[in-house]
Structure formats: C-alpha cells, structure tokens
C-alpha cells in the first residue's frame, strides 16, 4: 500500500511513517519543515519539502497516486490560533481542502485525519467526552479541526472519498517539540532535566487526557487497515484525567528535579477539563490504550536524557 503522510517529519507523523515502513508499505512524506525535522524522517521514506498550500502539492499527488493519505500537517498550537486565527484557518481549513481536491482528482481512496478531541468539544458537558455529544470549541484551533471533519464528510457524500477522523487527546512521547507552546510534557521534561524553572499556567488544576504516541500510532494503523474502511469519527484517549499539577509532580520525580512549582497567569483559549471516552474505537477497531502514563513518562524522560547527552 502506498501512503502519503503529511506532516511526516513531525512528532506524531514521523512515528506513523516508521511503523508503516516497518510493515512494508511504500511511504511518501510531505512536510514544509516549519516544525518538523529532517532527522525524524525514516531513510526509506520518499520526502518532499512542500507546504500543503503550495501549488507543487498537485504535482506530488499526481505523480505518487497514494492509495491512502494520512493527514497530520497542521497548525497545532492552541495559543497561536487565538493570537492569529487567520493563519490557523489558512493551514488547517484551506490546507485540508487543497489536499482533498487533489486526493479526489488522483484516486486516493481513504484519508485518515488527525483531529483534536482535546479541542473540538470545548468545555465538556460530559466527562469523559463521547463522540456524539455537542461540540463547542473555545479556540480557533478547535474550530478549524471541527471544520476539517465537516469537510471530510462533504467529500465522502459528494465524491465518495472514505475518511476516518481520529480525535486525539493530549499526545506525548519522544520527538515532541519542547520549544513551542504546545506539548506540556516535552516542555516540562526538558526544563526539569536542565534544572530550569517550568511555569504552570493558572492554578494547575486544568486536567487533560494524556495518551502515549505509540498508542496513537496503533490507532492510525487500525484505521488504515480496517476492512471495510470505517468512515467515522473516533476518540483516541485513555479516559483518565490528569491535572497539570499532578503531571508536574510525576515528572519531578522521574527527572529528580528539586525546583518548586511556580504558577503564571492563565492562558486565553485554554479549557479547564478534557478527557475522552474511547469505547467507540474499542468496539469498532478493537483499539485501547496500552501504555500507562507513568510508563509513557518514563520512556519520554529517557528519550530527552539521551538527547541532552549528545
């Protein structure tokens, strides 16, 4: 199977590329390297440096004719979306439409879309959230991801293009960027290992559902290999809430950092609670999270320790 992975040099996308190649698939990576890194790209993948909004994208899809597109290229920073909603919409909405036009034109049969369970529901009226509850995103990022889901439904109804939307909880693990605003596990881990002060936003009582990247990769594999294709939307999370204060203490123990926690101001567009019910994907695709948070954090800390030694 030939799979095109947009954002394949990034955190989650590169892990998906590795797994696809391990399984013997032909993989094409499209990434503009704005946040992704060349070192993350598997040497057996065919790489195009290209923005999903660039006209060159059509030539790539025309030449490669992927059977499946795994779409992870995105503006993924909630706070940046609040500061610059126009940029967020250009990448996450117009970029997806641009990609889908060529997917339809050149015979792609299935699209797997990285959506956001952490953002599309907004302040949840049910914990953990289920897929059919109301969606009221409180950030432009959440709005753009929900819009992406709606456009995929349109392309299915009008063009016959199958899709699977995966609403991720807060994904963490090796290769996550510790320098951006997103990715609190990576940010805290690197600062603690360097004995630098990490700042907790607000009172630290905000809760998130942290899911390890290997479990997310497994969900993508099951979506891509499902027979018949499951044209649907699924939560990918653990169903367990962890507060930022709890996360800080867990990482403090794993990194042996003695610095006390310091709290800063709350951030606009940041919701208080987020947690996802994964019953639907378990029933439909037999997926469930297998990596407990302490194990996942240990692996993540060990990865960053190795990087710091280089």
């Amino acid at each position: 199977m030939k799979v095109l992975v947009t954002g394949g040099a990034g955190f989650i996308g590169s892990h998906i590329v590795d797994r696809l190649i391990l399984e013997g698939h032909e993989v094409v990576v499209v990434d503009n390297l704005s946040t992704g890194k060349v070192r993350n790209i598997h040497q057996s993948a065919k790489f195009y440096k290209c923005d999903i909004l660039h006209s060159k994208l059509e030539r790539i899809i025309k030449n490669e004719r992927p059977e499946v597109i795994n779409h992870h290229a995105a503006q993924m920073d909630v706070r940046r979306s609040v500061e610059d909603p126009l940029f967020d919409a250009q990448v996450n909405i117009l970029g997806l439409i641009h990609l889908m036009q060529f997917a339809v034109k050149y015979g792609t049969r299935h699209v797997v879309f990285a959506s956001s369970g952490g953002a599309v529901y907004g302040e949840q009226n049910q914990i953990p959230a289920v897929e059919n509850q109301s969606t009221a995103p409180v950030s432009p990022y959440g709005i753009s991801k929900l819009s992406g889901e709606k456009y995929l439904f349109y392309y299915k109804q009008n063009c016959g293009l199958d899709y699977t939307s995966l609403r991720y909880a807060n994904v963490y693990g090796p290769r996550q960027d510790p320098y951006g605003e997103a990715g609190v596990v990576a940010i805290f881990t690197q600062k603690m290992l360097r004995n630098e002060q990490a700042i907790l936003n607000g009172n630290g009582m905000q809760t998130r559902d942290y899911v390890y990247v290997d479990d997310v990769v497994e969900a993508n594999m099951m979506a891509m290999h499902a027979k018949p294709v499951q044209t649907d939307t699924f939560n990918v999370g653990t169903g367990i809430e962890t507060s930022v204060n709890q996360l800080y203490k867990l990482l403090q123990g794993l990194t042996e950092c003695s610095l006390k926690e310091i709290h800063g101001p709350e951030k606009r567009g940041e919701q208080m609670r987020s947690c996802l019910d994964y019953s639907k994907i378990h029933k439909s695709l037999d997926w469930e999270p297998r990596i407990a948070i302490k194990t996942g954090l240990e692996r993540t800390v060990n990865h960053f320790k190795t990087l710091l030694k280089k």
Side-chain angles (χ1 to χ4, degrees):
M1 179 169 70
K2 181 181 277 193
V3 183
L4 186 148
V5 182
T6 68
F11 165 42
I12 303 171
S14 66
H15 284 280
I16 292 169
V17 170
D18 288 353
R19 176 66 178 276
L20 285 166
I21 288 173
L22 183 65
E23 292 187 0
H25 300 290
E26 187 178 355
V27 181
V28 179
V29 170
V30 169
D31 198 302
N32 67 2
L33 300 181
S34 59
T35 56
K37 297 174 177 60
V38 171
R39 68 170 181 264
N40 290 341
I41 304 170
H42 197 288
Q43 61 183 5
S44 297
K46 190 172 184 179
F47 172 54
Y48 294 93
K49 184 181 178 182
C50 179
D51 193 284
I52 57 171
L53 284 163
H54 198 280
S55 59
K56 188 171 75 172
L57 184 67
E58 179 172 12
R59 186 166 68 250
I60 294 169
I61 296 177
K62 180 180 179 180
N63 291 341
E64 296 296 342
R65 307 275 174 154
E67 301 164 64
V68 176
I69 293 178
N70 186 287
H71 183 39
H72 275 75
Q75 190 301 112
M76 59 186 180
D77 189 333
V78 171
R79 291 167 203 159
R80 182 171 184 183
S81 81
V82 172
E83 294 164 3
D84 191 353
L86 180 60
F87 175 73
D88 182 85
Q90 286 171 334
V91 176
N92 292 350
I93 300 176
L94 297 183
L96 179 133
I97 295 170
H98 197 228
L99 182 65
M100 291 307 98
Q101 290 293 105
F102 303 138
V104 169
K105 187 174 181 179
Y106 297 110
T108 297
R109 59 176 176 80
H110 183 200
V111 175
V112 177
F113 174 57
S115 187
S116 174
V120 301
Y121 295 112
E123 293 296 350
Q124 297 177 8
N125 55 29
Q126 178 178 331
I127 299 286
V130 294
E131 290 86 349
N132 62 0
Q133 76 179 59
S134 63
T135 50
V138 295
S139 67
Y141 171 74
I143 294 168
S144 68
K145 283 296 184 180
L146 187 58
S147 296
E149 294 182 9
K150 302 296 186 184
Y151 271 106
L152 288 169
F153 179 78
Y154 161 80
Y155 281 103
K156 169 62 178 175
Q157 295 301 309
N158 290 274
C159 308
L161 180 60
D162 287 326
Y163 71 92
T164 309
S165 290
L166 301 177
R167 290 179 176 172
Y168 296 158
N170 281 56
V171 188
Y172 71 99
R175 299 181 192 163
Q176 191 169 32
D177 185 4
Y179 296 106
E181 288 292 329
V184 65
V185 171
I187 294 167
F188 281 4
T189 299
Q190 178 153 289
K191 284 188 175 295
M192 289 178 179
L193 288 173
R194 291 176 169 176
N195 207 37
E196 298 172 357
Q197 185 65 60
I199 306 297
L200 290 75
N201 298 324
N203 60 16
M205 296 300 290
Q206 313 95 299
T207 65
R208 297 292 182 265
D209 183 341
Y210 294 97
V211 60
Y212 190 64
V213 66
D214 286 1
D215 283 331
V216 172
V217 170
E218 191 65 32
N220 277 267
M221 294 306 110
M222 289 177 168
M224 283 187 278
H225 294 324
K227 304 290 184 189
V229 171
Q230 296 291 306
T231 295
D232 211 338
T233 299
F234 300 103
N235 288 336
V236 179
T238 69
I240 300 170
E241 289 182 271
T242 302
S243 73
V244 177
N245 291 332
Q246 289 172 316
L247 180 71
Y248 187 92
K249 287 181 171 59
L250 285 168
L251 287 171
Q252 212 175 20
L254 291 168
T255 59
E256 299 179 347
C257 176
S258 59
L259 294 175
K260 293 183 179 180
E261 60 188 67
I262 292 180
H263 294 260
E266 294 181 5
K267 297 292 183 179
R268 288 191 304 146
E270 189 171 60
Q271 62 204 73
M272 277 304 297
R273 296 178 71 189
S274 177
C275 186
L276 306 183
D277 185 294
Y278 64 87
S279 301
K280 183 178 176 182
I281 193 172
H282 180 62
K283 182 178 179 180
S284 297
L285 298 177
D286 196 30
W287 178 89
E288 62 184 358
R290 300 186 182 278
I291 309 299
I293 188 165
K294 187 169 183 183
T295 301
L297 291 176
E298 285 173 354
R299 293 180 185 180
T300 304
V301 168
N302 288 337
H303 168 78
F304 277 94
K305 282 180 178 178
T306 301
L307 288 181
L308 290 172
K309 289 176 183 176
K310 291 182 179 179

